[in-house]
Amino acid sequence: MSSYEVQPIDGFDFAKLWDIAKNIKKANPDDERLFFPIGPDGLPDRSRTLLTKAACISSNTKGDNFAYYKVSETLDFVLLWKVPLIQLLAQMQRPPLGFGAGLFTMTHLIGDPIDTIWSLSFKLWRCTCQANDWIRLQGEEDWEIFTLIVTSYDEWGEGDRVQTLLSKALKEAEGQDGNDERPILEADATPLKDHRSPKLSGADIVRKACREAALLLAADRATQSIPVSVASLAFIGAIVGAFVKSNNVAPKMSDAVTPHFIAFTVLYFWILPAVVLSAAIGVSQAESAIPEILRRFRNEVASVGDCADLPQEQNLDITTRITSGGIYCWQRGKWNNKRATAFLGCFALLVVASGVGVSSFMSYSAPPVGLGCRTMTSMLFLATWVSSAIYTSALDRSNLGPISTYWGIFAKDLLLTLFIIGENVASHLGMFNRCNCWTNFGNGPLAFALETGVLDDIRRKIHITTKGGVGQWPGAVLGLFFLELLLLVIVAILSWRGISVFLYDADKVMSKPTSKWWRPRHWKPQPNKAGLKKSPTDMKERGQYESVDKSSVSKQSGSQSRQSAGHNQDIAPSS
């Protein structure tokens, strides 16, 4: 039987190779250039129209060189899959520590996602531990306020020392309250209107200063919960819409590459939990905000106990802040607790590896089924990210200085980010659009999307609903989403106190009644000239108090009146 003489085409082209395969099949159904996969009965299925790798290479003038995808197809997949991913990536919280720190955050996210998720979850866990320690030492009252101050000092690596100093100062000051001879306002006494604040004990000074500092810190911290939620929902909606669109369009030759484009998007699903964690922590809105708040806080409490040993202004420099904890996605201190570090490291590895696993599964199960270029590339990414995390951990635990460690990690992340971006651009242009990749290095056939068996296989696996339930690919993506959601819930449960601290609302501090440790009883604001009541914040330094029940006021002695008022002010009894 005669065979079809192929006229070589100019480069790899699915449509033209499909015509060649049909002509070869028509001329000689048993042509050796055709690939016959093994059927269910264990025999070669000669009804299929598939080409071998050798036939693919010999049928075009450029051999095994890749060919660019059509621009319309590339743009379609980029808009459908990559744009929502980029929008979600842009929601990553970046510290206001200059352009370099922001660039470090983004490159560390892309070049080392394991350490990024590891560090973010550690930041929440550490804040939770600080809150638990404070509750154990001082009780549950206002624990969020004190923990917010301690975790702010933690950006310079001073959190533990500050917590020890504040706790010790409060204990010592409260122990001296019994010997405090400051005037006490009785329930039936009218505070004297001498416009002087009542004397505060050391404990009162610390708690009052902590409340004011916490108010400013809470107002300064931006968590961006709503934008991240909207971007996350848009990303999930885009994935569902992409699967629906893939099921409703008419069969076309580009359907063969659809599962691979989806797989390369699923590869970066770890961006979703990373961005959610960063949104829960938030960032300061200005570089100088936290240092200025802490400077004022120290000045207010310096006279109490050992609070003068709190970090001074010159110690709150930006270099120390960047290298000691100010960049939340890179926490060198996570190695101080090996048990927690191991657990959180496994959590981060599972988040990243699960996305790579689903991506590899989709590429492996796409026709022709088997280990090919795209599956190996996904595995290469996982190996790269694991190696990157190991390198970062080695530098964090080395004897290098903090600045050298920072630049070493920065250089590594920048190179890996450029590599990953370059690989994504190359894959979308057509790096894998070649005979060797489409035949799994010759171990499978050149599978045409319009060939009956291949089309049925793709439709069965990508379908949203089939007779057996959800298709393999959307089912795997759905399972990945719920797995990452479950992991986030577990971290949230273990670190709920830390999340409460970072999401602490400034309005909650303002609306909370003034601290009972320094506010005299029966306090009532006096109206100002405009007829408006003054808030406790406006009046706390002036001592403008007024009795609620004036009928219970007794006349003070003349000597006490002259000593207290200082202006020969007579105190008359109520009528």
Side-chain angles (χ1 to χ4, degrees), residues 118-143:
W118 193 351
S119 296
L120 291 172
S121 56
F122 172 80
K123 182 67 177 178
L124 289 173
W125 175 85
R126 175 165 173 76
C127 185
T128 299
C129 291
Q130 291 170 338
N132 293 336
D133 291 342
W134 190 268
I135 292 173
R136 177 174 53 84
L137 295 172
Q138 295 292 331
E140 294 190 2
E141 193 158 11
D142 283 343
W143 62 269

PDB file of all heavy atoms in Angstrom, residues 118-143:
ATOM      1  N   TRP A 118       5.885  31.114  55.801  1.00  0.00           N
ATOM      2  CA  TRP A 118       6.470  30.697  57.076  1.00  0.00           C
ATOM      3  C   TRP A 118       6.607  31.894  58.017  1.00  0.00           C
ATOM      4  O   TRP A 118       6.199  31.847  59.178  1.00  0.00           O
ATOM      5  CB  TRP A 118       7.829  30.086  56.774  1.00  0.00           C
ATOM      6  CG  TRP A 118       8.487  29.319  57.866  1.00  0.00           C
ATOM      7  CD1 TRP A 118       8.087  29.241  59.178  1.00  0.00           C
ATOM      8  CD2 TRP A 118       9.661  28.521  57.745  1.00  0.00           C
ATOM      9  NE1 TRP A 118       8.957  28.450  59.884  1.00  0.00           N
ATOM     10  CE2 TRP A 118       9.932  27.981  59.032  1.00  0.00           C
ATOM     11  CE3 TRP A 118      10.501  28.198  56.702  1.00  0.00           C
ATOM     12  CZ2 TRP A 118      11.029  27.161  59.269  1.00  0.00           C
ATOM     13  CZ3 TRP A 118      11.588  27.370  56.942  1.00  0.00           C
ATOM     14  CH2 TRP A 118      11.842  26.865  58.202  1.00  0.00           C
ATOM     15  N   SER A 119       7.172  32.979  57.521  1.00  0.00           N
ATOM     16  CA  SER A 119       7.418  34.164  58.345  1.00  0.00           C
ATOM     17  C   SER A 119       6.120  34.866  58.736  1.00  0.00           C
ATOM     18  O   SER A 119       5.965  35.331  59.873  1.00  0.00           O
ATOM     19  CB  SER A 119       8.336  35.133  57.600  1.00  0.00           C
ATOM     20  OG  SER A 119       9.620  34.564  57.375  1.00  0.00           O
ATOM     21  N   LEU A 120       5.169  34.968  57.800  1.00  0.00           N
ATOM     22  CA  LEU A 120       3.899  35.624  58.108  1.00  0.00           C
ATOM     23  C   LEU A 120       3.127  34.865  59.184  1.00  0.00           C
ATOM     24  O   LEU A 120       2.582  35.462  60.115  1.00  0.00           O
ATOM     25  CB  LEU A 120       3.062  35.755  56.837  1.00  0.00           C
ATOM     26  CG  LEU A 120       3.578  36.725  55.771  1.00  0.00           C
ATOM     27  CD1 LEU A 120       2.752  36.602  54.495  1.00  0.00           C
ATOM     28  CD2 LEU A 120       3.542  38.164  56.279  1.00  0.00           C
ATOM     29  N   SER A 121       3.072  33.552  59.051  1.00  0.00           N
ATOM     30  CA  SER A 121       2.385  32.751  60.067  1.00  0.00           C
ATOM     31  C   SER A 121       3.129  32.805  61.398  1.00  0.00           C
ATOM     32  O   SER A 121       2.507  32.793  62.469  1.00  0.00           O
ATOM     33  CB  SER A 121       2.244  31.294  59.587  1.00  0.00           C
ATOM     34  OG  SER A 121       3.506  30.736  59.263  1.00  0.00           O
ATOM     35  N   PHE A 122       4.472  32.887  61.341  1.00  0.00           N
ATOM     36  CA  PHE A 122       5.241  33.020  62.583  1.00  0.00           C
ATOM     37  C   PHE A 122       4.962  34.352  63.258  1.00  0.00           C
ATOM     38  O   PHE A 122       4.889  34.434  64.497  1.00  0.00           O
ATOM     39  CB  PHE A 122       6.743  32.896  62.287  1.00  0.00           C
ATOM     40  CG  PHE A 122       7.618  33.217  63.466  1.00  0.00           C
ATOM     41  CD1 PHE A 122       7.824  32.281  64.464  1.00  0.00           C
ATOM     42  CD2 PHE A 122       8.217  34.459  63.586  1.00  0.00           C
ATOM     43  CE1 PHE A 122       8.620  32.573  65.563  1.00  0.00           C
ATOM     44  CE2 PHE A 122       9.010  34.763  64.681  1.00  0.00           C
ATOM     45  CZ  PHE A 122       9.221  33.815  65.675  1.00  0.00           C
ATOM     46  N   LYS A 123       4.801  35.413  62.484  1.00  0.00           N
ATOM     47  CA  LYS A 123       4.500  36.723  63.057  1.00  0.00           C
ATOM     48  C   LYS A 123       3.187  36.679  63.838  1.00  0.00           C
ATOM     49  O   LYS A 123       3.085  37.222  64.953  1.00  0.00           O
ATOM     50  CB  LYS A 123       4.430  37.765  61.948  1.00  0.00           C
ATOM     51  CG  LYS A 123       4.167  39.199  62.427  1.00  0.00           C
ATOM     52  CD  LYS A 123       5.324  39.730  63.232  1.00  0.00           C
ATOM     53  CE  LYS A 123       5.095  41.175  63.638  1.00  0.00           C
ATOM     54  NZ  LYS A 123       6.203  41.695  64.483  1.00  0.00           N
ATOM     55  N   LEU A 124       2.176  36.035  63.279  1.00  0.00           N
ATOM     56  CA  LEU A 124       0.905  35.895  63.985  1.00  0.00           C
ATOM     57  C   LEU A 124       1.063  35.027  65.231  1.00  0.00           C
ATOM     58  O   LEU A 124       0.514  35.335  66.293  1.00  0.00           O
ATOM     59  CB  LEU A 124      -0.146  35.289  63.049  1.00  0.00           C
ATOM     60  CG  LEU A 124      -0.659  36.179  61.914  1.00  0.00           C
ATOM     61  CD1 LEU A 124      -1.558  35.376  60.989  1.00  0.00           C
ATOM     62  CD2 LEU A 124      -1.403  37.382  62.474  1.00  0.00           C
ATOM     63  N   TRP A 125       1.799  33.929  65.098  1.00  0.00           N
ATOM     64  CA  TRP A 125       1.978  33.029  66.231  1.00  0.00           C
ATOM     65  C   TRP A 125       2.759  33.715  67.349  1.00  0.00           C
ATOM     66  O   TRP A 125       2.424  33.568  68.525  1.00  0.00           O
ATOM     67  CB  TRP A 125       2.722  31.775  65.762  1.00  0.00           C
ATOM     68  CG  TRP A 125       3.053  30.832  66.879  1.00  0.00           C
ATOM     69  CD1 TRP A 125       2.256  29.870  67.421  1.00  0.00           C
ATOM     70  CD2 TRP A 125       4.283  30.785  67.622  1.00  0.00           C
ATOM     71  NE1 TRP A 125       2.906  29.216  68.438  1.00  0.00           N
ATOM     72  CE2 TRP A 125       4.156  29.756  68.583  1.00  0.00           C
ATOM     73  CE3 TRP A 125       5.477  31.499  67.559  1.00  0.00           C
ATOM     74  CZ2 TRP A 125       5.176  29.439  69.463  1.00  0.00           C
ATOM     75  CZ3 TRP A 125       6.496  31.184  68.443  1.00  0.00           C
ATOM     76  CH2 TRP A 125       6.346  30.167  69.384  1.00  0.00           C
ATOM     77  N   ARG A 126       3.791  34.468  67.007  1.00  0.00           N
ATOM     78  CA  ARG A 126       4.598  35.152  68.025  1.00  0.00           C
ATOM     79  C   ARG A 126       3.762  36.208  68.758  1.00  0.00           C
ATOM     80  O   ARG A 126       3.862  36.355  69.977  1.00  0.00           O
ATOM     81  CB  ARG A 126       5.825  35.788  67.388  1.00  0.00           C
ATOM     82  CG  ARG A 126       6.656  36.613  68.366  1.00  0.00           C
ATOM     83  CD  ARG A 126       8.036  36.921  67.820  1.00  0.00           C
ATOM     84  NE  ARG A 126       8.758  37.840  68.677  1.00  0.00           N
ATOM     85  CZ  ARG A 126       9.322  37.509  69.832  1.00  0.00           C
ATOM     86  NH1 ARG A 126       9.237  36.265  70.268  1.00  0.00           N
ATOM     87  NH2 ARG A 126       9.977  38.405  70.545  1.00  0.00           N
ATOM     88  N   CYS A 127       2.948  36.946  68.009  1.00  0.00           N
ATOM     89  CA  CYS A 127       2.087  37.939  68.649  1.00  0.00           C
ATOM     90  C   CYS A 127       1.105  37.254  69.604  1.00  0.00           C
ATOM     91  O   CYS A 127       0.815  37.768  70.689  1.00  0.00           O
ATOM     92  CB  CYS A 127       1.349  38.740  67.590  1.00  0.00           C
ATOM     93  SG  CYS A 127       0.367  40.098  68.237  1.00  0.00           S
ATOM     94  N   THR A 128       0.619  36.086  69.214  1.00  0.00           N
ATOM     95  CA  THR A 128      -0.270  35.322  70.089  1.00  0.00           C
ATOM     96  C   THR A 128       0.460  34.881  71.363  1.00  0.00           C
ATOM     97  O   THR A 128      -0.099  34.964  72.468  1.00  0.00           O
ATOM     98  CB  THR A 128      -0.812  34.088  69.346  1.00  0.00           C
ATOM     99  OG1 THR A 128      -1.567  34.518  68.205  1.00  0.00           O
ATOM    100  CG2 THR A 128      -1.705  33.256  70.237  1.00  0.00           C
ATOM    101  N   CYS A 129       1.693  34.434  71.225  1.00  0.00           N
ATOM    102  CA  CYS A 129       2.472  34.030  72.397  1.00  0.00           C
ATOM    103  C   CYS A 129       2.715  35.218  73.328  1.00  0.00           C
ATOM    104  O   CYS A 129       2.651  35.077  74.558  1.00  0.00           O
ATOM    105  CB  CYS A 129       3.803  33.426  71.958  1.00  0.00           C
ATOM    106  SG  CYS A 129       3.648  31.826  71.146  1.00  0.00           S
ATOM    107  N   GLN A 130       3.005  36.384  72.750  1.00  0.00           N
ATOM    108  CA  GLN A 130       3.201  37.579  73.574  1.00  0.00           C
ATOM    109  C   GLN A 130       1.921  37.953  74.310  1.00  0.00           C
ATOM    110  O   GLN A 130       1.964  38.354  75.482  1.00  0.00           O
ATOM    111  CB  GLN A 130       3.680  38.735  72.691  1.00  0.00           C
ATOM    112  CG  GLN A 130       5.088  38.544  72.155  1.00  0.00           C
ATOM    113  CD  GLN A 130       5.467  39.568  71.108  1.00  0.00           C
ATOM    114  OE1 GLN A 130       4.598  40.176  70.467  1.00  0.00           O
ATOM    115  NE2 GLN A 130       6.762  39.764  70.904  1.00  0.00           N
ATOM    116  N   ALA A 131       0.785  37.805  73.634  1.00  0.00           N
ATOM    117  CA  ALA A 131      -0.497  38.083  74.295  1.00  0.00           C
ATOM    118  C   ALA A 131      -0.753  37.088  75.422  1.00  0.00           C
ATOM    119  O   ALA A 131      -1.200  37.465  76.515  1.00  0.00           O
ATOM    120  CB  ALA A 131      -1.623  38.041  73.267  1.00  0.00           C
ATOM    121  N   ASN A 132      -0.472  35.808  75.184  1.00  0.00           N
ATOM    122  CA  ASN A 132      -0.675  34.799  76.228  1.00  0.00           C
ATOM    123  C   ASN A 132       0.240  35.048  77.427  1.00  0.00           C
ATOM    124  O   ASN A 132      -0.175  34.882  78.584  1.00  0.00           O
ATOM    125  CB  ASN A 132      -0.422  33.402  75.657  1.00  0.00           C
ATOM    126  CG  ASN A 132      -1.466  33.005  74.631  1.00  0.00           C
ATOM    127  OD1 ASN A 132      -2.580  33.512  74.631  1.00  0.00           O
ATOM    128  ND2 ASN A 132      -1.102  32.102  73.728  1.00  0.00           N
ATOM    129  N   ASP A 133       1.484  35.434  77.157  1.00  0.00           N
ATOM    130  CA  ASP A 133       2.408  35.729  78.251  1.00  0.00           C
ATOM    131  C   ASP A 133       1.921  36.920  79.068  1.00  0.00           C
ATOM    132  O   ASP A 133       2.023  36.925  80.300  1.00  0.00           O
ATOM    133  CB  ASP A 133       3.810  36.016  77.694  1.00  0.00           C
ATOM    134  CG  ASP A 133       4.465  34.779  77.122  1.00  0.00           C
ATOM    135  OD1 ASP A 133       4.014  33.666  77.452  1.00  0.00           O
ATOM    136  OD2 ASP A 133       5.420  34.917  76.327  1.00  0.00           O
ATOM    137  N   TRP A 134       1.412  37.935  78.381  1.00  0.00           N
ATOM    138  CA  TRP A 134       0.938  39.112  79.109  1.00  0.00           C
ATOM    139  C   TRP A 134      -0.285  38.776  79.967  1.00  0.00           C
ATOM    140  O   TRP A 134      -0.407  39.231  81.101  1.00  0.00           O
ATOM    141  CB  TRP A 134       0.604  40.233  78.131  1.00  0.00           C
ATOM    142  CG  TRP A 134       0.339  41.514  78.846  1.00  0.00           C
ATOM    143  CD1 TRP A 134      -0.860  41.990  79.281  1.00  0.00           C
ATOM    144  CD2 TRP A 134       1.307  42.465  79.268  1.00  0.00           C
ATOM    145  NE1 TRP A 134      -0.705  43.177  79.934  1.00  0.00           N
ATOM    146  CE2 TRP A 134       0.626  43.496  79.944  1.00  0.00           C
ATOM    147  CE3 TRP A 134       2.694  42.554  79.135  1.00  0.00           C
ATOM    148  CZ2 TRP A 134       1.266  44.595  80.480  1.00  0.00           C
ATOM    149  CZ3 TRP A 134       3.347  43.640  79.662  1.00  0.00           C
ATOM    150  CH2 TRP A 134       2.641  44.660  80.332  1.00  0.00           C
ATOM    151  N   ILE A 135      -1.185  37.967  79.425  1.00  0.00           N
ATOM    152  CA  ILE A 135      -2.371  37.563  80.191  1.00  0.00           C
ATOM    153  C   ILE A 135      -1.950  36.742  81.409  1.00  0.00           C
ATOM    154  O   ILE A 135      -2.502  36.896  82.503  1.00  0.00           O
ATOM    155  CB  ILE A 135      -3.328  36.766  79.290  1.00  0.00           C
ATOM    156  CG1 ILE A 135      -3.928  37.686  78.218  1.00  0.00           C
ATOM    157  CG2 ILE A 135      -4.428  36.112  80.100  1.00  0.00           C
ATOM    158  CD1 ILE A 135      -4.755  36.955  77.186  1.00  0.00           C
ATOM    159  N   ARG A 136      -0.949  35.910  81.240  1.00  0.00           N
ATOM    160  CA  ARG A 136      -0.469  35.101  82.360  1.00  0.00           C
ATOM    161  C   ARG A 136       0.157  35.970  83.454  1.00  0.00           C
ATOM    162  O   ARG A 136       0.016  35.689  84.645  1.00  0.00           O
ATOM    163  CB  ARG A 136       0.557  34.088  81.849  1.00  0.00           C
ATOM    164  CG  ARG A 136       1.182  33.231  82.932  1.00  0.00           C
ATOM    165  CD  ARG A 136       2.080  32.169  82.318  1.00  0.00           C
ATOM    166  NE  ARG A 136       3.043  32.751  81.408  1.00  0.00           N
ATOM    167  CZ  ARG A 136       4.208  33.287  81.798  1.00  0.00           C
ATOM    168  NH1 ARG A 136       4.528  33.308  83.081  1.00  0.00           N
ATOM    169  NH2 ARG A 136       5.046  33.771  80.904  1.00  0.00           N
ATOM    170  N   LEU A 137       0.823  37.047  83.043  1.00  0.00           N
ATOM    171  CA  LEU A 137       1.504  37.900  84.007  1.00  0.00           C
ATOM    172  C   LEU A 137       0.590  38.963  84.605  1.00  0.00           C
ATOM    173  O   LEU A 137       0.691  39.285  85.793  1.00  0.00           O
ATOM    174  CB  LEU A 137       2.712  38.575  83.340  1.00  0.00           C
ATOM    175  CG  LEU A 137       3.843  37.653  82.879  1.00  0.00           C
ATOM    176  CD1 LEU A 137       4.871  38.440  82.079  1.00  0.00           C
ATOM    177  CD2 LEU A 137       4.505  36.966  84.062  1.00  0.00           C
ATOM    178  N   GLN A 138      -0.301  39.550  83.788  1.00  0.00           N
ATOM    179  CA  GLN A 138      -1.058  40.721  84.215  1.00  0.00           C
ATOM    180  C   GLN A 138      -2.571  40.546  84.163  1.00  0.00           C
ATOM    181  O   GLN A 138      -3.304  41.455  84.544  1.00  0.00           O
ATOM    182  CB  GLN A 138      -0.667  41.930  83.351  1.00  0.00           C
ATOM    183  CG  GLN A 138       0.772  42.368  83.508  1.00  0.00           C
ATOM    184  CD  GLN A 138       1.046  42.961  84.877  1.00  0.00           C
ATOM    185  OE1 GLN A 138       0.164  43.523  85.506  1.00  0.00           O
ATOM    186  NE2 GLN A 138       2.278  42.839  85.339  1.00  0.00           N
ATOM    187  N   GLY A 139      -3.053  39.425  83.660  1.00  0.00           N
ATOM    188  CA  GLY A 139      -4.497  39.249  83.561  1.00  0.00           C
ATOM    189  C   GLY A 139      -5.019  39.635  82.183  1.00  0.00           C
ATOM    190  O   GLY A 139      -4.277  40.084  81.305  1.00  0.00           O
ATOM    191  N   GLU A 140      -6.316  39.450  81.985  1.00  0.00           N
ATOM    192  CA  GLU A 140      -6.913  39.621  80.668  1.00  0.00           C
ATOM    193  C   GLU A 140      -7.355  41.049  80.363  1.00  0.00           C
ATOM    194  O   GLU A 140      -7.739  41.335  79.236  1.00  0.00           O
ATOM    195  CB  GLU A 140      -8.123  38.691  80.520  1.00  0.00           C
ATOM    196  CG  GLU A 140      -7.756  37.213  80.533  1.00  0.00           C
ATOM    197  CD  GLU A 140      -8.923  36.341  80.151  1.00  0.00           C
ATOM    198  OE1 GLU A 140      -9.991  36.909  79.842  1.00  0.00           O
ATOM    199  OE2 GLU A 140      -8.778  35.111  80.161  1.00  0.00           O
ATOM    200  N   GLU A 141      -7.302  41.928  81.322  1.00  0.00           N
ATOM    201  CA  GLU A 141      -7.786  43.282  81.081  1.00  0.00           C
ATOM    202  C   GLU A 141      -6.785  44.059  80.229  1.00  0.00           C
ATOM    203  O   GLU A 141      -5.603  44.176  80.581  1.00  0.00           O
ATOM    204  CB  GLU A 141      -8.037  44.000  82.394  1.00  0.00           C
ATOM    205  CG  GLU A 141      -8.818  45.284  82.212  1.00  0.00           C
ATOM    206  CD  GLU A 141      -9.507  45.714  83.490  1.00  0.00           C
ATOM    207  OE1 GLU A 141      -9.212  45.147  84.550  1.00  0.00           O
ATOM    208  OE2 GLU A 141     -10.347  46.625  83.418  1.00  0.00           O
ATOM    209  N   ASP A 142      -7.250  44.583  79.108  1.00  0.00           N
ATOM    210  CA  ASP A 142      -6.445  45.415  78.209  1.00  0.00           C
ATOM    211  C   ASP A 142      -5.226  44.678  77.655  1.00  0.00           C
ATOM    212  O   ASP A 142      -4.223  45.291  77.313  1.00  0.00           O
ATOM    213  CB  ASP A 142      -5.987  46.694  78.914  1.00  0.00           C
ATOM    214  CG  ASP A 142      -7.098  47.713  79.019  1.00  0.00           C
ATOM    215  OD1 ASP A 142      -8.090  47.574  78.292  1.00  0.00           O
ATOM    216  OD2 ASP A 142      -6.982  48.639  79.834  1.00  0.00           O
ATOM    217  N   TRP A 143      -5.303  43.340  77.513  1.00  0.00           N
ATOM    218  CA  TRP A 143      -4.144  42.608  76.998  1.00  0.00           C
ATOM    219  C   TRP A 143      -3.834  42.984  75.555  1.00  0.00           C
ATOM    220  O   TRP A 143      -2.668  42.965  75.134  1.00  0.00           O
ATOM    221  CB  TRP A 143      -4.376  41.106  77.110  1.00  0.00           C
ATOM    222  CG  TRP A 143      -5.555  40.587  76.313  1.00  0.00           C
ATOM    223  CD1 TRP A 143      -6.830  40.449  76.749  1.00  0.00           C
ATOM    224  CD2 TRP A 143      -5.550  40.145  74.952  1.00  0.00           C
ATOM    225  NE1 TRP A 143      -7.633  39.952  75.758  1.00  0.00           N
ATOM    226  CE2 TRP A 143      -6.876  39.761  74.643  1.00  0.00           C
ATOM    227  CE3 TRP A 143      -4.576  40.034  73.976  1.00  0.00           C
ATOM    228  CZ2 TRP A 143      -7.233  39.272  73.390  1.00  0.00           C
ATOM    229  CZ3 TRP A 143      -4.919  39.548  72.726  1.00  0.00           C
ATOM    230  CH2 TRP A 143      -6.242  39.173  72.441  1.00  0.00           C
TER     231      TRP A 143
END
